[in-house]
Amino acid sequence: MATDPRFDGPGPDAQYLQALNEGRLMLQHCEDCASVRFPPALVCRSCGSPRLTWRLSPGAGTVYTATTVRDKAGDYNVALVELEGGARMMSRIEDVPSQEVRIGQRVSGRIVAGDEPYVVFTLADGAAA
Amino acid sequence: MSHPLRGKTAIVGIGNTKRWNAPGRSPFDQLQEAAVLALEDCGLRMGDVDGLFCAMSTSGLPVLNVAERLGINPRHADGTMVGGASFLFHLQSAMSALVNGLCDTALICYGSNQLTAGGKLAAMPDPQPYEAPFKPRYPISSYALAAARHMHEYGTTRAQLADVAVAARDWARLNPDAYVRDPLTRDQVLSSRMVSDPLTRADICLVTDGGAAIVVTRAERARDLPRKPAYVLGTGVAVSHRQISAMPDLATTCAVESGQRAYAMAGVGPKHIRHLMVYDAFTINTLLFLEDLGFCAKGEAGALVSGGAISPGGQLPVNTNGGGLSCNHPGMYGLFTLIESVQQLRGECGARQIDGVELSLAHANGGVLSSQATAILGTAATL
Ligand SMILES: [Zn+2]
């Protein structure tokens, strides 16, 4: 039972979460077409290649779109943030009233550790749109 | 050279329970009633059904459950689940199965008790761990994110979104079977409670119960059945993502692709279509699909609807039953778009009937703008 060594080791979700828990935001870069992949997967979404390499992301990005969810307990922000290379993730923009979040604002990420770690964002210094 | 599936099959029977608030009825009850109505509509018997197509948000094994309840033993079946567009995917699958002899009588059916079950979508075993920590209100926040992006890119306004809801209501007021028929104004929509910016309560579809079914067979047999056939001239389907964060461009859907495929098979274009049904789970949907299906240029749907084009008396009647916004929406609305298209082609629509409809386009959406399916139906004159 010889397995294909290209796919040995933990799967991409597990590798992503492990890196977050170690304080690093890692994104997959395609070695064939240079696309950046998020969420993690075994296959490049742009070209179908399985040759994906993990690289450290500085966590800088821009607000691609945003909404304010009106909850009885209080309004909160849900945003899609575009990171370098075009990878897009759902997150929230913190430290600013949700209504003041604007498409195009520059943001920077911070890891929230835990059993299921994730990344949140704040407005980058001097950011305006 | 005509596409080998163009006009080779027809919708010959339709069933609609119109039970939008039906305590004590299960989703399977609604589905079975609709199936009986659809078969009676075309004079066929349950024993004639040898191709079964169904999807339900409440059943993980819908084909098995439905075959057992209807007492049929299909020799071809398809339970593809892509959300509300599933039934138009089933239609495309049924066309191929019928033309290739895998079945002779296809039943496409659906039932739901979403309203009486508490107005909540049944939890599907489909977790989204990369979105869950941020608590988007599913599914509205996904559509709100798309609406915000469309407004940013094209200057679309909340008033234009509101005009979609008003047009749907104005059509519902002409449909005695629509669930909500009270007058609705643009100001009422704009002053409705905000749920997930920029969408208010009035930008969101109804939550109802309901059951729907259609019977599809080969064209040569359709001519011998009692109802005026609605020939299937073209279909197209497309899938682009599951979670909204993975949608390639939030202001453009893969209805572009499903529409182009349907037009190519049918050999017609949007300029030939004078009646269409688009899956309006939210007001932004109607704008996106008018653009992506080629009824106006990208970014111009807001101006189109505010000019009254899609309203009663307008140049381009859209969602003439009142749509998901005002007629009914049991969670997966797609089959109801086809049923209204068939009724318009048959001339059965009473006060809301469009004169001289020979071609009708039905378009359905599933997930969070994730799956798209387009069907173009026509009368015998279009073959
Ligand atoms: Zn690639």
Side-chain angles (χ1 to χ4, degrees):
Chain A
M1 290 267 281
T3 57
D4 188 322
R6 291 177 301 163
F7 305 105
D8 284 351
D13 294 291
Q15 290 187 54
Y16 173 75
L17 291 177
Q18 183 183 335
L20 279 190
N21 269 324
E22 293 166 1
R24 288 172 292 132
L25 171 59
M26 302 291 286
L27 296 178
Q28 293 169 303
H29 291 242
C30 178
E31 293 186 27
D32 288 319
C33 78
S35 291
V36 183
R37 182 80 167 89
F38 188 84
L42 277 176
V43 175
C44 172
R45 201 172 166 208
S46 296
C47 77
S49 169
R51 300 205 312 141
L52 300 172
T53 303
W54 292 99
R55 286 191 208 152
L56 185 67
S57 167
T62 58
V63 176
Y64 175 77
T65 185
T67 185
T68 299
V69 178
R70 310 295 186 119
D71 193 75
K72 288 195 188 83
D75 300 347
Y76 59 93
N77 172 257
V78 175
L80 299 186
V81 171
E82 198 152 272
L83 295 163
E84 83 283 14
R88 202 179 292 154
M89 61 171 58
M90 183 174 284
S91 185
R92 62 174 173 259
I93 315 302
E94 298 188 325
D95 301 334
V96 59
S98 182
Q99 311 272 8
E100 294 177 19
V101 174
R102 297 280 177 273
I103 292 172
Q105 283 172 330
R106 292 168 49 233
V107 292
S108 58
R110 170 175 73 80
I111 296 168
V112 178
D115 288 343
E116 292 171 13
Y118 55 88
V119 179
V120 297
F121 292 83
T122 53
L123 293 188
D125 287 338
Chain B
M1 198 102 150
S2 184
H3 190 285
L5 290 178
R6 185 189 192 277
K8 295 297 193 297
T9 61
I11 299 172
V12 294
I14 56 175
N16 182 351
T17 67
K18 306 173 190 172
R19 296 185 191 275
W20 312 137
N21 184 354
R25 287 170 199 272
S26 74
F28 291 117
D29 296 337
Q30 290 267 12
L31 178 147
Q32 292 171 88
E33 180 176 339
V36 169
L37 294 174
L39 286 160
E40 288 178 354
D41 186 48
C42 57
L44 294 175
R45 295 174 305 113
M46 197 63 75
D48 294 323
V49 176
D50 58 358
L52 176 62
F53 303 78
C54 51
M56 307 169 85
S57 58
T58 48
S59 175
L61 297 169
V63 168
L64 307 188
N65 278 294
V66 170
E68 179 190 312
R69 281 172 174 78
L70 296 180
I72 57 178
N73 303 104
R75 63 191 174 102
H76 183 77
D78 182 346
T80 294
M81 176 56 161
V82 290
S86 298
F87 315 99
L88 276 74
F89 278 64
H90 296 164
L91 177 63
Q92 179 165 287
S93 171
M95 290 158 66
S96 180
L98 287 162
V99 166
N100 288 296
L102 296 178
C103 63
D104 296 318
T105 305
L107 175 69
I108 304 176
C109 47
Y110 168 68
S112 165
N113 67 343
Q114 189 173 343
L115 173 61
T116 54
K120 296 197 180 338
L121 283 170
M124 283 184 281
D126 190 31
Q128 301 299 324
Y130 293 99
E131 294 191 346
F134 310 103
K135 301 182 175 60
R137 191 160 292 164
Y138 182 82
I140 180 177
S141 293
S142 303
Y143 289 86
L145 290 166
R149 187 71 201 179
H150 197 274
M151 292 167 78
H152 172 78
E153 287 194 28
Y154 301 111
T156 306
T157 65
R158 283 192 55 219
Q160 291 169 338
L161 292 171
D163 290 339
V164 172
V166 171
R169 182 63 56 84
D170 287 346
W171 283 114
R173 291 174 58 73
L174 300 175
N175 178 7
D177 296 322
Y179 189 48
V180 181
R181 305 184 66 211
D182 308 322
L184 183 69
T185 66
R186 177 196 270 190
D187 285 345
Q188 284 175 304
V189 178
L190 290 174
S191 61
S192 180
R193 180 175 60 85
M194 191 65 81
V195 179
S196 191
D197 300 36
L199 300 183
T200 72
R201 181 69 201 84
D203 289 294
I204 308 175
C205 65
L206 304 173
V207 176
T208 70
D209 301 330
I214 62 173
V215 179
V216 190
T217 192
R218 284 185 290 276
E220 65 268 21
R221 184 178 182 216
R223 285 186 270 278
D224 299 330
L225 295 173
R227 295 304 206 150
K228 186 177 169 185
Y231 295 95
V232 187
L233 302 180
T235 56
V237 307
V239 173
S240 70
H241 59 276
R242 170 62 184 92
Q243 49 195 341
I244 196 69
S245 47
M247 184 170 178
D249 172 353
L250 266 74
T252 303
T253 73
C254 64
V256 172
E257 285 85 30
S258 72
Q260 285 170 350
R261 287 164 191 153
Y263 291 135
M265 189 188 297
V268 302
K271 69 176 184 289
H272 302 107
I273 308 281
R274 291 191 48 239
H275 171 258
L276 68 152
M277 299 294 299
V278 297
Y279 190 111
D280 56 341
F282 301 89
T283 50
I284 184 64
N285 294 35
T286 299
L287 300 185
L288 287 168
F289 300 145
L290 285 170
E291 294 170 0
D292 295 345
L293 294 170
F295 290 95
C296 61
K298 194 70 204 168
E300 293 183 0
L304 184 71
V305 302
S306 286
I310 70 170
S311 303
Q315 294 297 303
L316 185 64
V318 174
N319 295 348
T320 49
N321 62 345
L325 290 166
S326 282
C327 181
N328 70 291
H329 199 303
M332 292 163 64
Y333 169 76
L335 204 37
F336 295 94
T337 66
L338 285 173
I339 286 176
E340 177 72 5
S341 286
V342 171
Q343 290 200 280
Q344 286 285 349
L345 291 172
R346 287 179 178 179
E348 290 178 345
C349 289
R352 69 182 192 280
Q353 179 67 44
I354 310 305
D355 287 339
V357 179
E358 301 287 349
L359 278 174
S360 179
L361 183 150
H363 179 82
N365 159 80
V368 288
L369 297 167
S370 309
S371 60
Q372 304 295 335
T374 310
I376 297 169
L377 309 179
T379 64
T382 63
L383 287 174

